[in-house]
Amino acid sequence: MSDMKLFTSDEKPTWCPACGDFGILASLKQAFAGLDLSPHDVLLVSGIGCGSKMPYYMRANGYDALHGRAVPVATGARLGNHDLRIVVISGDGDGYGIGGNHFMHVIRRNPDLTHVVQNNQVYGLTKGQYSPTSDKGYISGTSPDGAIEMQINPIALAMASGATFVSRGFAGDPKHLTQLLMKAVRHRGYALVDVLQPCVTYNKVNTYDWYRGRVYKIDDESGYDPSDYDAAWGRAKEWEERIPIGVIYQEEGRPTYEEQVPELQAGPLFRQPVERPRELLESIKREFI
Amino acid sequence: MSDMKLFTSDEKPTWCPACGDFGILASLKQAFAGLDLSPHDVLLVSGIGCGSKMPYYMRANGYDALHGRAVPVATGARLGNHDLRIVVISGDGDGYGIGGNHFMHVIRRNPDLTHVVQNNQVYGLTKGQYSPTSDKGYISGTSPDGAIEMQINPIALAMASGATFVSRGFAGDPKHLTQLLMKAVRHRGYALVDVLQPCVTYNKVNTYDWYRGRVYKIDDESGYDPSDYDAAWGRAKEWEERIPIGVIYQEEGRPTYEEQVPELQAGPLFRQPVERPRELLESIKREFI
Amino acid sequence: MSSSVVVNNLTFKMGGEAGQGVESSGAGFSKALARAGLHVYGLQDYMSRIRGGHNFFQIRASDRNVQATESAVHLLLPLDTLTVEEHLQEVVPGGAVIMDTPLKIDDARLLDRGVSPVRVPLTEIAQREGGNKLMMNTASVAVAAGMTDMPFEFIEQIIRENFGGRKGQMIADANIAVARAAYDEGAREFGPDFGWKIKPLQAKPRMLIHGNQAIAFGAAAAGCRWISMYPMTPATSITEWLAAHHKKLGIVTKECEDEISAILMAIGAAHTGVRAMTATSGGGFSLMVEAVGLAGMTETPLVIVDAQRAGPSTGLPTRHEQSDLQFALHCSQGEFPRIVLTPGTIEECFNAGWRAFNLAEKYQCPVFILTDMNQSTAIRAIDPDAFDLGSVQIERGELLTDEELDALTEPYLRHKVTSSGISPRAVPGHPNAIILTTSDEHYENGQAVEEAPARIAQMEKRMRKLQLAASDIRPPLPEGPEDADLTLVGWGSTYGPIHEARQLLEADGIRVNHVHYHEVWPFPTAATEALLGGARRVVDIENNYTGQLALVIRMMTGINIPNKILKYDGRPFTGDEIVRKVQEGVLARV
Amino acid sequence: MSSSVVVNNLTFKMGGEAGQGVESSGAGFSKALARAGLHVYGLQDYMSRIRGGHNFFQIRASDRNVQATESAVHLLLPLDTLTVEEHLQEVVPGGAVIMDTPLKIDDARLLDRGVSPVRVPLTEIAQREGGNKLMMNTASVAVAAGMTDMPFEFIEQIIRENFGGRKGQMIADANIAVARAAYDEGAREFGPDFGWKIKPLQAKPRMLIHGNQAIAFGAAAAGCRWISMYPMTPATSITEWLAAHHKKLGIVTKECEDEISAILMAIGAAHTGVRAMTATSGGGFSLMVEAVGLAGMTETPLVIVDAQRAGPSTGLPTRHEQSDLQFALHCSQGEFPRIVLTPGTIEECFNAGWRAFNLAEKYQCPVFILTDMNQSTAIRAIDPDAFDLGSVQIERGELLTDEELDALTEPYLRHKVTSSGISPRAVPGHPNAIILTTSDEHYENGQAVEEAPARIAQMEKRMRKLQLAASDIRPPLPEGPEDADLTLVGWGSTYGPIHEARQLLEADGIRVNHVHYHEVWPFPTAATEALLGGARRVVDIENNYTGQLALVIRMMTGINIPNKILKYDGRPFTGDEIVRKVQEGVLARV
Ligand SMILES: Cc1ncc(C[n+]2csc(CCOP(=O)(O)OP(=O)(O)O)c2C)c(N)n1
Ligand SMILES: Cc1ncc(C[n+]2csc(CCOP(=O)(O)OP(=O)(O)O)c2C)c(N)n1
Ligand code: SF4
Ligand code: SF4
Ligand SMILES: [Mg+2]
Ligand SMILES: [Mg+2]
């Protein structure tokens, strides 16, 4: 267990007071400390959005990439240096909207990444347009009569895509979220942590109270076995009345992507020498003759 | 019932002899004839790939778009002119690889489109690289030791995304496929028709025989009710031993996207006058004062 | 105290944290000034955050048609101390700073600069008169109005309008009470010593509007019925304005999963005959470029707004730059015709908004409207007649009518080779015109081609369209004497500051003219040669690092413009800043 | 019959449907010719389909170092009638067409042109000697070898190599039997009358290699350990070659869900310190441009190969063009440093392949290698020493070592402002260097910035890198006399045909030189002015419609090149074609 303060940055978050992102930041630092990590072990890769500013506010390696594109950058970084603990930070628009294809495909690969999606059911940083997780009928500047689209269910999508760790947290319960994040980081393989994150400025529907009235801790249910796919699938679909938080599904033992890449068995790729032996290259040249 | 020959183009397909795409082409023409459509009623929108050349070989309106991008073009066209019967044609790479995000999001919208995916489990036109539906371990120019990725399950993904019509056909059974396509076109809303399509040149694993030994017609099973989501979910996951073809899941009655867009109630958008009344514009100008 | 009084020529600047109401107060005060018959130019500046930080709204009011901001501030309205720290040095001697009595600022610092501290218990007044301390920004604006002798009725009127309805009535009354008390105190205690005044003018009512609204309104006038997009600052307000008017206009507005989808849906809609557009910025524009080529190849008419912001990459997301010009000219693989409009005023935004659709349909190609952060958000009070709806002509180009299609006897060829390069266009649905097109090179009938001759024919056919389009492009706008000693060149939103700089330099006795590019591609080569070929000394003025327009001018004409004033700090020019740089630069080197 | 015999200077052309083995036979025959000590240039031409249609493989064999194809064909090897229809007019008088006896072609048509019909029962021989009629293409090649007196051993050797292993042994024997019979018949019946001969030369063994392999090998030599991509013609073979060698090279090859992911994964890997690249074409390149800006802004070293093909949009997917130059120079929003290499020979492809990684790391920016369809697929026999591994230097630029990081006492600043513009780089993982970077404009420490001064400092810091990089760029290559009457200008793969055209024109008595651009950005301005500023008559030769290099030259130097030879039909130039066009064009206008 390292000291959480190690991860404290000098930078003051620019989030709105009471934004759910504060809870996520605190939980993430606590989780890293709980896992006895140091700032240089960790790389946060984020997209663009309110929550994606997270790397600025934490003392750790950070790469704030493009809107929707944190996942492929993180995948490349993980394969480049698999000693790093990589946490992907994205918003619901970022991760499920514009970044939806990477979401689907990273799951098929199962690299050892923790993917935290700050799901506030709205586009925060661009001032409140509806997002892929906004409720049907959600009213915003781009949906003045209410959104027509069905909202997506990231938990079900992750499960249908074959994810090995599918979970949900709540920014309003940082203690639980900390525990959840620790489990996610410990999981070997891709781990989704969809975090219900109240946007106090724009989302006047899905507020702290709205979530509080619905969430329940699935881990508390005696007999709930996250390795039971069918049971998990049943919970994956819950939303309107009751919303499970915790590890909904986990499959252990599936090899990670990097474990299956032969080039990485000798150690992190970036450590492997840049100069290749002259004889090797000359012998390859001879293949052309 | 119109004449299938109406849809016959002068252009000879450039597909390899015995390619599964021939069966799909024939079935599609037959289905259009069976539905009493005329070539000018129909618009085929395709991506890029072997199968996406379909619009060249059919007498009907055709828009051969970009690799992976048929779905948004088709959505725009459908909203522009909802009198057209629009069929989207794409490959597995096209529809589930590069086009995966549009696939996920068009389902949330549920526009009245029929989406035929020629699933040959390989990138055909670029000469045989593995695709998102290639079996794990599939050997190709870009996966000389076998693909590491888990293959995706488009049926499960469509269901998890909330599709209202999810089906699978087999290019080696054009009669069944014709019937299936007719159902898909008749369905009000987005209809996925994933078609098992042998690529005789590159895919030496998933051949006509491989498929023939596995497919069974789900429609033939007495008591199978495609409106039963849970039952359908069970079938969605079948693959290795038995592969269901036919309508796996169908939800009727969900409004289509275009039914919910108020601007389209007055008729197709492209028919609405381009000139707007001067008084209307002047009155809007006054809002700025 | 101040003996000479300046009437109707001053700049207010209100600043505070995001969320403190800077934007709404600024907009309201601008409207009041416009109602009072003044010309108003209002510049917004905000950070890429939702709360906190530092935003400001700078309002220039004048009896002249000002089209840019100026560096001098006469009245600073800080809602927080940071605003004083950031902007005190802009306040001119004799100017004043309106501060809530408890605001922790040392008045001596102001007095040292000859600036008056105007201490008014703003929060207290808000609390006492309105029952809500959040009304302190209303109080601040009212003090400013009082100090400048602006009649109270204009303030009252705007407050009434802003809070309509029954419940609004009470809020309006409370705000008016706050404003009244603050106004009186401002007028009584500080008015006599303040040397800048507002005197209402008789003028036709003016519209207060920003560039994005002007483009959106232009599109509405052109019969646009489709906008698909993905949110991105500073383009989003185009869609939000259209969405807010979608019932009146019968326009479909569609937020997509990404910008790729946004442009492709617009292409799909356009293919069916709908006038369609998309609007984006920066990274969104980058994501669209593959589809721009699709529109070029399939000859689908399409309007794309790129509201530029400071790059590269995410850059300064809420800040200003003009750095996508060459990208727009060359984006997407291969070569195809495109048209690029670069409006520089609210009026030009409106014109570009409707002209783009005509050009897109006439030349069946993508048309870009390049605007930028400054122009997207800065408001100006303009004469409603400047948006001349009478001049708006709908030209659909060679779009076949139902009657023409009924009469068609030959098979329809979507990409027929013609001498103009334009192939008569039909939309899908008519039995006589089965339409096939493709992103692959094609024959006239839309079938994919491999042979050289058909390829050459199509390539030349498409590129030929640019020749005709060139004659449809409006040449650069010259202002000032033809035989000037100094020529200022710019494009897009630098129009305003350069226009003002020219006037200021002229007043200084310099013979100066201004060549403003508002439609840049197909490039107006002959006009450029005529205007710049013989110019004595030319200065290129751009909000970017490399001087992109100057590079394009040299590429197309060989004319080199070594003198450049380039600004790439995310902020727009002011007229006086350009004057200073001209004087320190090219003029100093005489 | 033919009295004069031409030795070691002839062109073979084999054609047939996709799937008939044109590619493999052509490659095998090329190899045999190379083994015989000849220079070989082999051009492939195929359609965007997998079976059927018409493909060809054109092999030029010479005792000179030929680097382009020529228009004349001496021996046509059609596997189908269509090949005769398409290419008979290219066969020179005295040339011959090797046809299976039953092939439905009227011999009189050949005879009319002075071309010999060489009728051999190819299928019958294949059936009889090899037991498989598919071996008829082996038979066809063997007839050609026999007719040209090429010793049989070279054919035999290649067949043996192509079918290794035990089972291969039998197939090899069967093929050799077929070849032997066909060879003998060719030599006996048609050899005496055929005027072009192959005489083996003593030469060091040559490598037979195409541009994509050369780039891939260059990357391997540079220590590239990562390529992520999405399949796209003609770029895919770079990855496929590396994938085939991944065990030997320890290189990770990664097929992604799309090109966006491909470039971003490469950026992620590069950020950790891995030498990383991606390779694509056309639409894939378009999809990458947002991320190109990300690499520019975060100063991540990255190598991007764009193997150009005929555009716009999907265009002619398997055909040639050089039309992405300006796009590469200006792609992505905003302004940032980039480097663009445009190799034009196999040797330059190799050099670009390794140099790109050095430049990327030294200047911490994206580096493009622009190649094209022709260069990606055309093979040439070259001296292995031309890939001089001794000259390959690994330069990682200012990359901090572990020791340097251990000694670090101050907080690490990823984007430190330095006079060179280069910020010492570290990779994540060291306790002394916590690394923060972002696509937003940032402070030196990687925190996002809003203020103008820090923005200006970073913008200027980044752009400053181009000054240093400019001195690292290899200037255009001049060939021929300095004071020529005629100067031919080109870039990339036009090197070969222009080089040959220059030689041909020289032989015609014209004083001509050639300026070849192989590294174009930062633009070699001074060298261009020196080489072209005083040139008498300049002709720009490009495989595109608008003359993009000429436009860039004018943009950067003002030098206008009105004479242009532009080709945009999807086919590369031949040297004689350029000569013809020069003679009809600029020389005719004297
Ligand atoms: C390619 C691209 N498109 C659009 C944007 C503008 N943009 C910035 S943040 C954002 C949405 C943020 O929403 P979300 O991902 O849900 O994060 P939140 O702000 O709600 O935390 C958008 C659309 C961008 N930066 N890049
Ligand atoms: C943006 C882009 N990337 C890559 C390509 C090259 N490409 C053409 S077809 C194709 C794959 C085709 O596979 P699939 O979609 O499965 O169709 P199939 O050929 O198997 O029918 C690819 C990668 C392209 N045209 N555009
Ligand atoms: S806008 Fe919403 S998500 Fe963004 S910082 Fe404010 S509360 Fe948080
Ligand atoms: S390569 Fe495969 S998918 Fe393509 S045409 Fe041939 S058999 Fe069909
Ligand atoms: Mg969000
Ligand atoms: Mg496929």
Side-chain angles (χ1 to χ4, degrees), chain A residues 59-269:
Chain A
R59 211 180 141 256
N61 295 299
Y63 194 113
D64 195 353
L66 299 172
H67 186 50
R69 311 299 171 190
V71 163
V73 172
T75 305
R78 173 76 191 159
L79 296 178
N81 180 356
H82 60 261
D83 283 344
L84 293 172
R85 296 287 359 155
I86 302 188
V87 177
V88 181
I89 306 282
S90 51
D92 47 327
D94 192 277
Y96 306 139
I98 191 166
N101 208 28
H102 308 308
F103 174 55
M104 193 162 111
H105 286 276
V106 72
I107 291 175
R108 304 202 295 121
R109 299 192 181 108
N110 200 37
D112 197 350
L113 298 175
T114 304
H115 188 179
V116 177
V117 182
Q118 298 130 320
N119 185 353
N120 55 11
Q121 304 187 247
V122 75
Y123 286 142
L125 193 58
T126 48
K127 307 202 162 180
Q129 300 81 14
Y130 72 108
S131 90
T133 52
S134 294
D135 297 331
K136 198 168 177 197
Y138 186 86
I139 289 177
S140 75
T142 48
S143 57
D145 301 336
I148 301 180
E149 283 93 344
M150 232 178 76
Q151 72 188 132
I152 69 159
N153 179 336
I155 303 294
L157 269 173
M159 286 191 66
S161 302
T164 54
F165 186 104
V166 183
S167 73
R168 187 188 277 122
F170 173 39
D173 190 344
K175 244 173 90 180
H176 177 263
L177 182 57
T178 301
Q179 293 305 314
L180 180 59
L181 287 166
M182 286 174 65
K183 289 179 201 163
V185 175
R186 269 202 210 102
H187 176 75
R188 293 176 72 88
Y190 173 86
L192 173 69
V193 188
D194 179 83
V195 186
L196 306 172
Q197 175 244 319
C199 167
V200 296
T201 300
Y202 292 114
N203 192 329
K204 307 293 186 183
V205 179
N206 312 98
T207 60
Y208 279 99
D209 284 346
W210 192 93
Y211 291 122
R212 273 208 193 93
R214 286 168 174 81
V215 297
Y216 71 96
K217 294 181 188 142
I218 201 165
D219 338 61
D220 287 356
E221 301 218 340
S222 70
Y224 185 75
D225 173 8
S227 74
D228 176 346
Y229 188 92
D230 293 333
W233 181 248
R235 305 298 179 120
K237 288 181 290 178
E238 292 182 343
W239 181 259
E240 272 311 324
E241 316 278 287
R242 272 162 64 81
I243 303 176
I245 59 174
V247 182
I248 296 170
Y249 177 68
Q250 183 169 19
E251 175 190 337
E252 274 165 304
R254 174 124 48 98
T256 65
Y257 193 85
E258 48 277 30
E259 285 165 0
Q260 299 173 80
V261 175
E263 287 69 31
L264 305 186
Q265 306 321 313
L269 196 61

Side-chain angles (χ1 to χ4, degrees), chain D residues 308-522:
Chain D
Q308 301 161 94
R309 61 190 216 188
S313 203
T314 310
L316 294 161
T318 62
R319 303 207 173 271
H320 173 70
E321 203 163 87
Q322 309 180 283
S323 53
D324 295 351
L325 177 60
Q326 286 175 303
F327 182 32
L329 293 180
H330 303 296
C331 72
S332 206
Q333 75 272 15
E335 297 159 304
F336 54 91
R338 70 191 79 198
I339 292 172
V340 181
L341 309 182
T342 54
T345 63
I346 300 286
E347 295 84 348
E348 287 177 359
C349 283
F350 166 70
N351 287 331
W354 66 265
R355 272 174 59 70
F357 289 90
N358 286 350
L359 293 166
E361 288 208 314
K362 285 166 77 177
Y363 304 105
Q364 303 178 19
C365 72
V367 176
F368 292 99
I369 301 176
L370 290 196
T371 181
D372 55 46
M373 180 69 201
N374 176 34
Q375 185 157 261
S376 289
T377 54
I379 53 175
R380 222 180 92 224
I382 64 162
D383 181 351
D385 291 343
F387 286 7
D388 181 7
L389 289 168
S391 74
V392 175
Q393 299 283 340
I394 306 278
E395 298 175 88
R396 304 205 66 183
E398 301 194 29
L399 180 63
L400 298 172
T401 61
D402 277 349
E403 296 68 44
E404 287 170 319
L405 288 169
D406 291 343
L408 212 67
T409 50
E410 314 222 305
Y412 173 73
L413 299 174
R414 173 66 194 96
H415 299 288
K416 195 177 169 69
V417 174
T418 60
S419 61
S420 65
I422 295 165
S423 312
R425 179 168 152 248
V427 298
H430 194 285
N432 286 355
I434 300 296
I435 295 166
L436 177 65
T437 188
T438 167
S439 65
D440 277 80
E441 188 57 278
H442 34 252
Y443 290 101
E444 291 181 299
N445 67 1
Q447 289 287 349
V449 81
E450 294 272 0
E451 290 75 20
R455 152 67 172 184
I456 295 170
Q458 285 293 323
M459 189 74 188
E460 294 180 351
K461 176 199 103 69
R462 282 191 299 270
M463 297 305 278
R464 209 148 55 223
K465 296 190 287 185
L466 278 177
Q467 291 168 21
L468 210 62
S471 65
D472 219 345
I473 284 295
R474 297 185 173 174
L477 185 77
E479 285 185 350
E482 240 181 72
D483 60 337
D485 294 321
L486 184 69
T487 299
L488 309 179
V489 176
W491 62 285
S493 76
T494 54
Y495 173 80
I498 298 179
H499 176 78
E500 175 150 5
R502 185 181 61 77
Q503 293 175 327
L504 293 169
L505 287 163
E506 221 166 43
D508 261 15
I510 297 161
R511 282 186 68 77
V512 51
N513 63 12
H514 173 190
V515 177
H516 167 65
Y517 285 79
H518 54 127
E519 304 199 345
V520 300
W521 203 263

Side-chain angles (χ1 to χ4, degrees), chain C residues 321 335 455 460 546 568, chain D residues 314 321 335 455 460 546 568:
Chain C
E321 203 164 270
E335 296 159 305
R455 152 67 172 183
E460 294 179 350
T546 54
Y568 39 85
Chain D
T314 310
E321 203 163 87
E335 297 159 304
R455 152 67 172 184
E460 294 180 351
T546 53
Y568 38 84

